[in-house]
Amino acid sequence: MENHGDSNLWKSIRDFFTSRDENPIEDVIKEAEKDGDLGQDVGRILQKVLSLETRQIKEIMLPRPDIVCLEENASIQEVAETIIESGHSRIPVYRDNKDQIIAVVHAKEILPVLLKPHSTATPLTELMHPPLLVPETKSIKSMLLDFQMKKMHLAIALDEYGGTSGLITLEDVLEEIVGEIEDEYDPPKPREITVLEDEGWLVSGRALLEELKHQLDIELSSDFVETLGGYLIELAGRIPATGETFQIKGYSFQIKEADVKQIHSVLIFPAPRTTDDNPDTAQSD
Ligand code: ADP
């Protein structure tokens, strides 16, 4: 058997366990990658797994407005139609409004009922399961363990007031480790940041400030919001209209598309553009 005694990786692991503070495991992995003891893919996956401990599910969940769900009095027929239209196999069920998700219904439970002669007579309540409700601040790692232990694949994230803030599935968590997983029914996910040909970027209003920092090196921070759209709304103190431009930290942020409720997309240019055709310009450092 090959003797690993002298390998830098094993030495680093020994060092890690003997002097933990001086040699955090992230550094051990980076060193091992550099030395060729670990393939880059393996190193990347290990780094991502480690990050799951400190990252929260609210960073990756599907936001509340995008949850496909049904009211508890919906018919079996309506559930079947929603499953077909959305392509999702688990549909949360609410009482009164989205803040009260009381159950989840699964396509596999609906199918056998639909084959019965009087399927429409079966009340939805007979086929529902209690939902897995979790705080949006839960760590992604702990969410993964919950999915595993409770044998469930979908959870509803709640904000601090107990309202629904999002939805997360096992697939969303696994994607954080191995990258995009698409099945044959998943609609293509819109790109959050698109590089434009004539310099600059087209960015979704939902892009996380964290992503802007990592991908574009644009550092915007806020104690209250996490997305670019939220940031610009906070800055303006209202929902900016399409065409409005903000000069922030040497970049020009032009609202490409917004409606009365949210900012859908923003054009970002690396240098301030002339404001001649953009009278609504705000400044911020
Ligand atoms: P499915 O294949 O049934 O859609 P997955 O767990 O594979 O379920 O999830 C695929 C993607 O669809 C994930 O990003 C997840 O957040 C999203 N998703 C799953 N169920 C719903 C739903 N009811 N409403 C909105 N998005 C959902």
Side-chain angles (χ1 to χ4, degrees):
M1 205 176 109
E2 198 185 341
N3 178 11
H4 290 290
D6 293 325
S7 131
N8 285 341
L9 173 61
W10 287 102
K11 183 178 173 305
S12 300
I13 290 172
R14 257 203 321 274
D15 289 350
F16 171 70
F17 285 107
T18 47
S19 58
R20 200 182 165 107
D21 288 345
E22 286 162 28
N23 214 353
I25 191 125
E26 286 83 356
D27 291 349
V28 173
I29 293 168
K30 274 189 208 137
E31 278 299 312
E33 275 181 316
K34 228 182 324 163
D35 297 343
D37 291 330
L38 264 188
Q40 277 202 341
D41 285 351
V42 178
R44 219 178 9 247
I45 287 178
L46 287 176
Q47 297 278 11
K48 284 184 173 175
V49 169
L50 288 172
S51 77
L52 299 187
E53 193 145 19
T54 49
R55 295 173 61 215
Q56 300 182 336
I57 58 171
K58 67 177 177 185
E59 295 171 38
I60 62 165
M61 70 188 181
L62 188 92
R64 170 193 162 111
D66 295 351
I67 300 177
V68 176
C69 50
L70 281 171
E71 210 254 316
E72 63 178 326
N73 294 322
S75 66
I76 301 288
Q77 194 68 26
E78 280 176 274
V79 180
E81 279 165 16
T82 304
I83 289 171
I84 293 167
E85 271 166 31
S86 68
H88 297 305
S89 48
R90 294 175 190 82
I91 308 293
V93 177
Y94 63 85
R95 179 168 296 152
D96 298 334
N97 61 53
K98 269 189 192 176
D99 279 328
Q100 284 196 69
I101 304 277
I102 54 163
V104 175
V105 60
H106 197 294
K108 283 185 188 161
E109 311 266 355
I110 298 285
L111 271 179
V113 178
L114 283 175
L115 292 177
K116 285 190 195 158
H118 301 293
S119 62
T120 47
T122 311
L124 184 55
T125 42
E126 276 183 22
L127 305 170
M128 306 185 316
H129 295 284
L132 176 56
L133 301 174
V134 295
E136 62 181 6
T137 48
K138 191 178 184 64
S139 79
I140 304 177
K141 176 187 160 198
S142 148
M143 188 70 257
L144 181 58
L145 296 175
D146 258 22
F147 280 142
Q148 202 178 17
M149 269 176 2
K150 303 205 163 109
K151 299 185 181 148
M152 293 172 92
H153 284 198
L154 180 148
I156 299 295
L158 304 177
D159 63 24
E160 62 188 300
Y161 304 104
T164 299
S165 68
L167 170 153
I168 183 161
T169 69
L170 179 62
E171 182 180 298
D172 296 321
V173 172
L174 295 180
E175 282 182 346
E176 290 308 304
I177 304 171
V178 295
E180 205 64 23
I181 304 169
E182 280 183 16
D183 69 27
E184 49 280 61
Y185 301 103
D186 281 351
K189 290 195 180 152
R191 286 179 71 89
E192 301 250 291
I193 299 176
T194 307
V195 181
L196 300 175
E197 268 175 22
D198 58 341
E199 76 173 358
W201 306 274
L202 174 63
V203 183
S204 158
R206 290 195 174 167
L208 295 175
L209 298 178
E210 200 55 20
E211 287 300 312
L212 254 61
K213 189 168 130 195
H214 282 132
Q215 291 195 37
L216 310 183
D217 209 15
I218 300 177
E219 206 163 336
L220 306 176
S221 57
S222 163
D223 290 337
F224 306 104
V225 297
E226 289 169 346
T227 63
L228 174 61
Y231 182 89
L232 295 174
I233 290 170
E234 186 192 355
L235 179 71
R238 63 191 160 79
I239 302 186
T242 300
E244 275 188 63
T245 302
F246 299 83
Q247 306 297 344
I248 309 166
K249 298 197 170 175
Y251 289 89
S252 204
F253 292 72
Q254 187 178 60
I255 311 293
K256 172 132 195 316
E257 200 193 338
D259 61 25
V260 289
K261 293 204 301 201
Q262 58 179 313
I263 295 173
H264 295 288
S265 56
V266 180
L267 289 164
I268 304 180
F269 299 98
R273 304 196 111 195
T274 64
T275 53
D276 296 348
D277 48 5
N278 295 307
D280 295 320
T281 299
Q283 296 284 338
S284 172
D285 296 326

